[in-house]
Amino acid sequence: MNTKIDAHQHFWIYEAEKHDWIDDSMKAIRRNFSPAMLLDVLKQNDFDGCVSVQVDQTEEETNNLLHLADKNSFIKGVVGWIDLQAPDIKERLHYFSQFQYLKGYRHIVQAEKDPAFLERPLFLNGIKHLHEFDLTYDILIYPHQLKMATRFAASFPYQRFILDHIAKPYIKKGLIHEWKKDLKQIAALENVWCKISGLVTEADWYNYTAEDLFPYIETAIEAFGINRVVYGSDWPVCLVAADYEKVVSIMQQVFEPFSEEDKAKFFGLNAIQFYKLNN
């Protein structure tokens, strides 16, 4: 039996100030989300493990996720946060290299006010060192940042990148053409992979249908190919628009005509390869 991996989910102990991005429209997730809660959901949906991704931009967050991975065998990997612009970045990367579950890092670039954030020399210096430690980098951006992200990823051809949430297309507005063109450009870079994740939250939460998402999912599969697309639920953020079962069901509908081999790649094997997870 092939291992099934949810390659994008989060844990948190809810604090209003720390999690101020959870606004009034997202009251459904203004609470704690623990590994025990996710384990029940994964079991119900026949998943074997997950990759836990940072939410807070602190080393404390990274340490907390690593602690959870140590205590919960189904957490196969952690995508943490580190200050990639720090002058001592190489020393910090060396420190965290002792932790077996630390697979890569992410910065919430979508929230940066600087439109040229991905071109900052200090940030680029931090990215430069990731390959030395065999670490991945999750690219979290909006569609208008795709062109810059393509230039960014092209500058580091040996670095493994993965695009979160297919760059959050404007599904609610029905916009696809510009995003599609830019997505194909970044997909042309063989060192960039793509998480098909987080899409229900980009749609009209109360009125969308699975068919609204299909063109975006199909575009990502076509652009990146079956060997570079990875499943992620974005639990618990997805709960503002869909339960876990619905997220999985939408993906299963898209992949229904695919071979069992291709389904196994998307729902687990690709994540294991990209993040170098231990089964």
Side-chain angles (χ1 to χ4, degrees):
M1 178 183 292
N2 290 310
T3 302
K4 293 178 70 176
I5 300 291
D6 180 344
H8 198 101
Q9 59 74 217
H10 311 286
F11 299 118
W12 62 70
I13 296 175
Y14 177 72
E15 297 177 31
E17 186 174 347
K18 180 186 291 186
H19 302 104
D20 59 356
W21 57 274
I22 305 178
D23 60 26
D24 289 344
S25 68
M26 306 171 79
K27 288 180 180 178
I29 59 173
R30 277 181 170 168
R31 54 194 176 97
N32 299 344
F33 288 94
S34 67
M37 295 165 67
L38 178 63
L39 180 58
D40 287 342
V41 172
L42 293 178
K43 285 182 175 178
Q44 290 164 15
N45 290 277
D46 299 319
F47 279 82
D48 303 290
C50 68
V51 175
S52 191
V53 181
Q54 62 84 219
V55 174
D56 301 329
Q57 302 208 116
T58 63
E59 285 194 7
E60 179 185 11
E61 167 88 334
T62 305
N63 284 317
N64 288 342
L65 293 178
L66 290 170
H67 174 73
L68 293 178
D70 277 334
K71 299 296 183 183
N72 297 274
S73 61
F74 71 92
I75 302 175
K76 305 298 185 181
V78 166
V79 176
W81 183 89
I82 199 168
D83 184 1
L84 288 162
Q85 301 182 82
D88 63 340
I89 181 59
K90 193 165 183 178
E91 288 76 11
R92 298 311 298 150
L93 290 171
H94 183 266
Y95 168 78
F96 279 106
S97 69
Q98 67 184 292
F99 300 104
Q100 62 171 323
Y101 294 109
L102 197 286
K103 303 300 180 180
Y105 291 101
R106 183 175 82 157
H107 186 88
I108 303 178
V109 176
Q110 68 175 28
E112 291 291 342
K113 294 179 181 178
D114 180 1
F117 183 85
L118 287 176
E119 297 173 343
R120 287 184 176 183
L122 282 175
F123 189 74
L124 297 178
N125 178 66
I127 295 293
K128 177 182 71 176
H129 292 296
L130 295 182
H131 178 66
E132 301 169 33
F133 294 90
D134 199 21
L135 294 165
T136 65
Y137 181 79
D138 273 50
I139 302 174
L140 179 60
I141 54 171
Y142 287 127
H144 72 273
Q145 298 169 305
L146 263 170
K147 290 184 177 67
M148 180 173 57
T150 301
R151 296 192 300 270
F152 164 73
S155 299
F156 301 95
Y158 299 107
Q159 173 60 44
R160 301 196 315 281
F161 294 104
I162 193 162
L163 183 65
D164 288 352
H165 314 323
I166 60 176
K168 296 196 165 185
Y170 303 121
I171 300 172
K172 186 175 182 179
K173 296 179 179 179
L175 301 177
I176 193 170
H177 298 295
E178 186 74 13
W179 166 83
K180 185 175 184 177
K181 181 180 69 174
D182 292 341
L183 191 79
K184 288 182 177 180
Q185 291 294 315
I186 197 168
L189 303 174
E190 294 185 359
N191 60 319
V192 181
W193 296 41
C194 183
K195 283 186 194 174
I196 302 182
S197 56
L199 300 189
V200 293
T201 52
E202 303 309 312
D204 182 337
W205 298 352
Y206 307 106
N207 298 297
Y208 75 93
T209 65
E211 288 72 19
D212 293 334
L213 308 184
F214 290 167
Y216 300 90
I217 299 170
E218 290 163 355
T219 293
I221 298 169
E222 178 185 353
F224 286 89
I226 193 60
N227 294 319
R228 288 189 289 140
V229 287
V230 172
Y231 168 76
S233 67
D234 200 26
W235 180 95
V237 182
C238 66
L239 299 179
V240 301
D243 58 25
Y244 198 99
E245 289 73 17
K246 185 171 184 178
V247 173
V248 175
S249 173
I250 291 169
M251 296 301 183
Q252 288 173 333
Q253 289 176 62
V254 173
F255 278 86
E256 197 278 329
F258 284 66
S259 69
E260 291 304 311
E261 179 184 3
D262 286 348
K263 291 176 186 175
K265 288 179 179 180
F266 175 68
F267 284 106
L269 298 183
N270 288 349
I272 291 170
Q273 181 181 352
F274 179 80
Y275 285 117
K276 299 187 177 180
L277 307 179
N278 297 318
N279 294 329

